[in-house]
Amino acid sequence: MFGLAGGLVAGTYLLAPSLSGSPIGGVSDKLAVAEHDAAVYQAQAQSADSYIADIAEDTVRGRLADKPVVLITTPSVNEEDFGHIDWLSKIGGAPSVTRITLTDSFLTQDSAEPLKSLAATTLPAGIQLSEDNRSVGTHMGELIGATLSESPTNVAAPSDSPSSEQPESPEDEGENENQGEQKPSTSPVGQDERNLVFGALKEAGYLSYEGDVPTAAAVVLVTGDSDGREDSFRVSQYVDFARALDKSGLPTTVAGRLPAAGPDGLIGRLRTNQEDALSVSTVDSIDRFYGRLATVLATVEQISGGSGSYGTADKTDAVAPA
């Protein structure tokens, strides 16, 4: 691969002098140089990506040990992209990598009310849905996030909690002040309740999966190359969905191809919102190995409490986590 790049570079430099010395300097000459430059850049990019592919497995090996992962795919996902992320997650040592496939009817305008009704009727005990944001994306993210999380945070306050009228000791007051920014957490939802939630969604045709869905230490929402301009409603609901997954106690990464990082795409919208950018990790360019590797490394970072925007589009922190 490096030989190809070198050959193209040499070809360009051999051609360039004759072009630069041309008295015409016409459009066809400039086009020829531009085409050779583009070929060189493409060959160099492919060579670099080939190198990343060679080291990817060793880079992720053991990084997800004892950390089960769920990969949720949108209808636009490229199967090759998904397959590599799935494989690298397994190489990373995840004890389980579960795929949940969302269908075309998930998070559409027509399915909004039926989905919200399903969320209300299958909600596991102790879990609550937002009353401030009632979008279908938010409620689905809260339902699925809490059902998958090893430590869900969108839990209702215990009914037998101490009354606010009871005086607190000075030590309690100090402790409450220190913990004021922490979210409440609880034990994971039981398998029977998890089967009820996902079984109802599957039966209604909103998603599919195989076997039992276990709890997860993190989730990756894997999308395709949609730039979001054809269905603004659905993209906005996916933004709410990803945000709610993360806020429900499930470390969340959203990964897709470069067009999804455009201003109207799912990744682009998440990066535009500063609060989302600081909580939900995003990765673009997953048709390249560096993007696929970055997705797994971003998942590791999420589990450790970090986040970031990775890839080659605008508003990224780096190509991949350090």
Side-chain angles (χ1 to χ4, degrees):
M1 193 66 74
F2 284 103
L4 173 61
L8 287 168
V9 171
T12 298
Y13 284 123
L14 288 172
L15 177 64
S18 63
L19 291 176
S20 62
S22 170
I24 300 176
V27 173
S28 60
D29 295 337
K30 294 177 180 178
L31 178 60
V33 172
E35 288 176 344
H36 274 75
D37 285 347
V40 170
Y41 298 147
Q42 177 67 16
Q44 289 173 332
Q46 289 177 346
S47 296
D49 205 45
S50 177
Y51 171 73
I52 296 297
D54 289 340
I55 67 171
E57 292 187 7
D58 288 338
T59 302
V60 303
R61 199 177 306 278
R63 301 289 295 275
L64 287 172
D66 302 320
K67 305 297 182 184
V69 174
V70 167
L71 304 179
I72 300 178
T73 58
T74 72
S76 67
V77 72
N78 177 280
E79 287 300 317
E80 184 178 356
D81 297 345
F82 164 78
H84 284 290
I85 293 171
D86 175 69
W87 173 247
L88 286 175
S89 299
K90 291 172 180 174
I91 293 295
S96 65
V97 182
T98 304
R99 180 177 187 174
I100 297 174
T101 304
L102 305 179
T103 68
D104 283 321
S105 59
F106 188 74
L107 297 186
T108 65
Q109 288 180 311
D110 290 339
S111 67
E113 291 306 318
L115 277 170
K116 287 196 284 186
S117 176
L118 187 151
T121 56
T122 62
L123 192 67
I127 303 300
Q128 60 183 3
L129 302 177
S130 173
E131 296 182 1
D132 297 327
N133 187 340
R134 298 175 181 269
S135 77
V136 61
T138 296
H139 280 189
M140 277 293 104
E142 290 172 336
L143 175 67
I144 291 177
T147 304
L148 289 175
S149 175
E150 294 179 334
S151 184
T153 57
N154 53 330
V155 296
S159 58
D160 58 349
S161 59
S163 169
S164 59
E165 297 179 359
Q166 291 180 326
E168 292 181 332
S169 69
E171 291 150 350
D172 289 337
E173 288 178 359
E175 183 178 345
N176 288 339
E177 286 178 6
N178 293 335
Q179 296 181 351
E181 298 301 319
Q182 296 180 358
K183 296 178 181 179
S185 62
T186 187
S187 56
V189 168
Q191 189 63 55
D192 288 344
E193 289 182 297
R194 196 156 43 252
N195 289 343
L196 174 64
V197 170
F198 285 105
L201 288 166
K202 183 177 182 178
E203 184 176 354
Y206 296 122
L207 53 78
S208 63
Y209 59 91
E210 296 181 0
D212 289 339
V213 177
T215 57
V219 65
V220 182
L221 179 60
V222 190
T223 190
D225 59 1
S226 171
D227 61 12
R229 289 181 291 183
E230 293 185 1
D231 194 345
S232 179
F233 175 83
R234 174 176 273 189
V235 174
S236 67
Q237 295 310 308
Y238 272 121
V239 170
D240 286 349
F241 179 65
R243 179 187 300 128
L245 285 172
D246 190 77
K247 288 187 175 181
S248 299
L250 186 61
T252 301
T253 299
V254 178
R257 293 196 166 195
L258 192 59
D264 300 311
L266 170 57
I267 292 173
R269 292 196 193 189
L270 285 166
R271 288 175 176 172
T272 299
N273 184 296
Q274 186 174 11
E275 182 180 351
D276 292 337
L278 292 173
S279 56
V280 178
S281 291
T282 55
V283 182
D284 64 64
S285 303
I286 62 170
D287 53 323
R288 297 287 190 174
F289 268 98
Y290 61 77
R292 296 159 180 168
L293 173 60
T295 300
V296 177
L297 295 179
T299 303
V300 173
E301 183 181 54
Q302 272 281 331
I303 294 171
S304 299
S307 64
S309 301
Y310 304 107
T312 57
D314 291 337
K315 300 179 180 178
T316 54
D317 301 316
V319 174

